[in-house]
Amino acid sequence: MSAFLGAFILIINMSIFYLVAFLSIVFSLLVIFSKNPVHSVLYLIITFFTFTVHYILLNAQFLAIVNFIVYMGAIMVLFLFVIMLLNLNRDTEPMHSLVIKIIGIIAGGCLALTLIGALKATLSYKVPVVVTKSDLGLVKNLGKVLFNEFLLPFELSSVLLLSAMVGAILLAKKESNAIN
Amino acid sequence: METAFIIEKFILVTAVFAISLLIAMYSTYAERKVAAFLQDRVGPNRAGPFGLLQPLADGAKMFFKEEIIPAQASKILFIVGPSLAMLTACMGSAVIPWGQDLEIAGKKISLQVTDINVGLLYIFGVVSLGVFGVMIGGWASNNKYSLMGAIRAASQNISYEIAMGLSIIALLMVTGTLSMKEIAAQQSGFHWNIFYQPLGFLIFLICAFAETNRTPFDLPECETELIGGYHTEYSSMKLGFYLFAEYINMFVSSAVMATLYFGGYNFPFMNDLGFSANVITIIGTVGLFIKIICFIFFFMWVRWTIPRFRYDQLMNLGWKVLIPLAIANIVLTGVVLSLT
């Protein structure tokens, strides 16, 4: 009975994964292809939501909720705020020159190449990845790992964020002085 | 076992949903009665005894009004806006523990829909999502005033979220857990968090006012400057959804404040009364609802007492007063915790 239930849960899990993965790809394509910038941002929000579902399926609750708060709740609100404030529309959008389009294609191609290369590198691992601790993503375990094994990179990245914040304030202040 | 679990949770979810709607419905009535009381008027008294049927009459009116969608509006997003506002308002109540476990026929029934171990962050996430309904609706209306309202809502929400998050961090240092159930259980008897985090509670309370768009923070719908703010173009039940979502938000944030700072379902001397566990649980749940209703009254009291902020005052309060205070609160909490 329990073996049957386990198999059933596995099947449901896999089908949810495939459904959500499909939705992530569809919505990220819509981000690129929709003409209206506000629609783009809204599709991006849905894409981030599908990522949250992926994290939940991986039992990484903390990562899921942080992704939810930081990306969906904070960064995307700011994105939407800026785009609404500028009120970009299809008719006000400036025409892109051919040079910009070619540069865009080259940059995108480079990114795609890197991603494909990275994916190919993972293929060389013959042994499938086995998660030994399925509750690694819970708050307590994540905190222990972050503050023991990865303390230095963690603190360094926080200093990096702080310097970025100070830099942004400095830049904003300079501008207001120039106006005065 | 599994079926029983699903049925149990289904009943609980339905009950919580129904109670939130009922309380939100009568909050609209209470709002007018409180306003009338504070301004020495009578208030609604025509529909039913003491005007008790007024919310039903209002609802019926909303449903029968003509529905107008502006010609140049983005139709789908125009409908998505109020729906999203309503959805996010109802989501927050999922992690609130409404009482201790009930024991019926030897089986423990939890009075909490789900106890995820990041419950506090979940509420914070839902709160931060709430602004999307206002923003999408305001933008989709294709009206300058609505857009201004939407932008104000966004900037206000972002500004006060930071202070709210910082006040939650200080609370977290005291409780040491993110699970709402454990936070409520820790405050057993009279060990309420308000005694350990008075400043944190004050910051959280102010931010809760700002996040629910209640006066003095209702600049997104400031009628003297923006006509109706983000819902200028809305009519019929879509407008009703926006107005109703505000009352559900108020109910949920009252429940969160009662759970986080005022002991949740705990009440003084609960372990010395000598009643059976089930009776204590029921008294506790009733107590929680009394706390929630007190908070809702406080929301209304403030609304009809304090005038609206000016926009620069709002930003100054958020960035120059609340955030430094919240950081000072974290430092203070850390010092006290390391000394004791």
Side-chain angles (χ1 to χ4, degrees):
Chain A
M1 182 61 198
S2 73
F4 171 72
L5 205 71
F8 185 65
I9 288 172
L10 195 70
I11 289 168
I12 287 188
N13 239 337
M14 281 316 279
S15 34
I16 292 176
F17 168 75
Y18 280 118
L19 177 70
V20 175
F22 172 72
L23 288 178
S24 330
I25 293 168
V26 168
F27 283 116
S28 31
L29 286 177
L30 281 172
V31 174
I32 305 170
F33 288 121
S34 63
K35 295 271 183 207
N36 193 321
V38 171
H39 290 179
S40 261
V41 174
L42 294 178
Y43 286 130
L44 194 56
I45 293 167
I46 304 175
T47 312
F48 281 134
F49 182 70
T50 58
F51 291 172
T52 303
V53 179
H54 280 308
Y55 287 134
I56 291 172
L57 285 178
L58 291 170
N59 204 19
Q61 294 183 3
F62 184 71
L63 208 55
I65 209 81
V66 166
N67 183 59
F68 191 80
I69 294 173
V70 174
Y71 281 93
M72 283 177 73
I75 294 181
M76 281 297 116
V77 172
L78 275 175
F79 258 62
L80 205 57
F81 174 75
V82 172
I83 285 173
M84 281 182 181
L85 196 69
L86 298 175
N87 209 5
L88 296 172
N89 280 324
R90 225 173 306 174
D91 19 290
T92 55
E93 199 183 0
M95 281 300 289
H96 296 306
S97 68
L98 195 68
V99 181
I100 290 178
K101 277 179 187 166
I102 290 172
I103 290 173
I105 289 169
I106 292 172
C110 287
L111 184 66
L113 209 68
T114 319
L115 282 178
I116 292 168
L119 277 177
K120 253 198 113 183
T122 58
L123 283 182
S124 60
Y125 290 105
K126 289 285 179 286
V127 192
V129 179
V130 178
V131 180
T132 45
K133 280 186 277 180
S134 64
D135 56 351
L136 190 68
L138 303 189
V139 184
K140 198 176 256 174
N141 305 321
L142 198 71
K144 276 183 182 151
V145 171
L146 269 185
F147 284 97
N148 285 325
E149 287 170 50
F150 299 101
L151 182 62
L152 187 67
F154 182 72
E155 294 293 338
L156 279 181
S157 57
S158 70
V159 171
L160 191 70
L161 279 176
L162 188 69
S163 58
M165 216 154 75
V166 173
I169 292 170
L170 211 68
L171 285 175
K173 263 209 155 154
K174 223 175 203 169
E175 206 167 314
S176 73
N177 280 343
I179 290 168
N180 289 335
Chain B
M1 178 60 205
E2 287 293 311
T3 352
F5 178 76
I6 290 170
I7 291 172
E8 177 196 317
K9 288 299 176 197
F10 182 75
I11 293 172
L12 193 64
V13 169
T14 317
V16 167
F17 184 60
I19 290 172
S20 331
L21 289 188
L22 188 77
I23 288 192
M25 204 165 102
Y26 273 92
S27 296
T28 62
Y29 167 76
E31 174 108 82
R32 292 153 136 213
K33 275 289 185 194
V34 169
F37 171 68
L38 292 177
Q39 297 171 346
D40 208 9
R41 291 186 283 115
V42 180
N45 68 343
R46 293 290 125 180
F50 308 107
L52 273 174
L53 296 178
Q54 188 66 41
L56 291 176
D58 280 342
K61 185 196 81 173
M62 286 286 190
F63 273 114
F64 286 113
K65 284 261 185 177
E66 187 190 354
E67 206 170 298
I68 301 164
I69 295 181
Q72 294 296 313
S74 157
K75 278 206 179 55
I76 295 172
L77 290 181
F78 194 76
I79 298 168
V80 165
S83 320
L84 205 61
M86 198 71 177
L87 177 75
T88 49
C90 293
M91 268 164 72
S93 58
V95 293
I96 292 167
W98 301 102
Q100 283 167 312
D101 292 350
L102 270 180
E103 221 176 303
I104 297 170
K107 211 172 126 349
K108 278 202 168 172
I109 294 175
S110 168
L111 286 183
Q112 184 185 19
V113 176
T114 172
D115 179 36
I116 49 178
N117 71 2
V118 284
L120 193 51
L121 289 179
Y122 169 83
I123 287 192
F124 190 62
V126 170
V127 164
S128 63
L129 215 58
V131 73
F132 279 125
V134 172
M135 288 186 80
I136 291 172
W139 180 80
S141 307
N142 196 23
N143 176 320
K144 292 264 187 321
Y145 290 113
S146 301
L147 187 65
M148 288 296 288
I151 286 172
R152 278 187 178 190
S155 55
Q156 173 178 325
N157 216 285
I158 292 168
S159 311
Y160 281 81
E161 233 166 56
I162 300 170
M164 190 182 227
L166 291 172
S167 72
I168 286 179
I169 288 175
L171 178 73
L172 209 64
M173 288 161 74
V174 174
T175 59
T177 174
L178 283 167
S179 154
M180 296 293 276
K181 188 172 190 160
E182 282 173 41
I183 290 176
Q186 278 173 2
Q187 309 176 57
S188 176
F190 210 45
H191 299 287
W192 296 356
N193 282 334
I194 175 78
F195 303 120
Y196 305 106
Q197 280 292 320
L199 185 61
F201 168 68
L202 193 68
I203 296 166
F204 193 93
L205 180 75
I206 295 171
C207 294
F209 270 85
E211 300 282 321
T212 49
N213 286 337
R214 294 284 299 183
T215 323
F217 298 98
D218 62 343
L219 283 117
E221 45 189 309
C222 171
E223 64 271 2
T224 45
E225 299 165 19
L226 296 179
I227 309 182
Y230 59 90
H231 54 54
T232 305
E233 296 285 354
Y234 278 91
S235 58
S236 136
M237 202 55 204
K238 290 208 216 52
L239 174 69
F241 265 25
Y242 270 131
L243 302 182
F244 208 60
E246 179 182 321
Y247 287 96
I248 298 177
N249 271 328
M250 222 163 86
F251 167 66
V252 171
S253 52
S254 299
V256 169
M257 280 189 286
T259 308
L260 291 184
Y261 291 99
F262 279 81
Y265 48 74
N266 297 296
F267 55 93
F269 312 115
M270 61 189 287
N271 301 321
D272 311 324
L273 285 175
F275 291 138
S276 70
N278 277 350
V279 177
I280 296 280
T281 302
I282 291 167
I283 297 175
T285 306
V286 173
L288 175 61
F289 275 96
I290 291 172
K291 286 171 196 168
I292 291 171
I293 288 167
C294 289
F295 269 116
I296 292 178
F297 174 73
F298 184 70
F299 269 98
M300 292 168 182
W301 188 10
V302 168
R303 172 167 180 180
W304 297 104
T305 309
I306 298 176
R308 186 179 290 134
F309 279 119
R310 226 170 45 223
Y311 192 71
D312 58 319
Q313 291 172 331
L314 175 97
M315 285 295 146
N316 275 341
L317 179 70
W319 289 95
K320 293 185 182 164
V321 178
L322 287 183
I323 292 177
L325 257 185
I327 292 173
N329 187 34
I330 291 176
V331 174
L332 202 71
T333 311
V335 169
V336 171
L337 278 181
S338 60
L339 288 181
T340 51

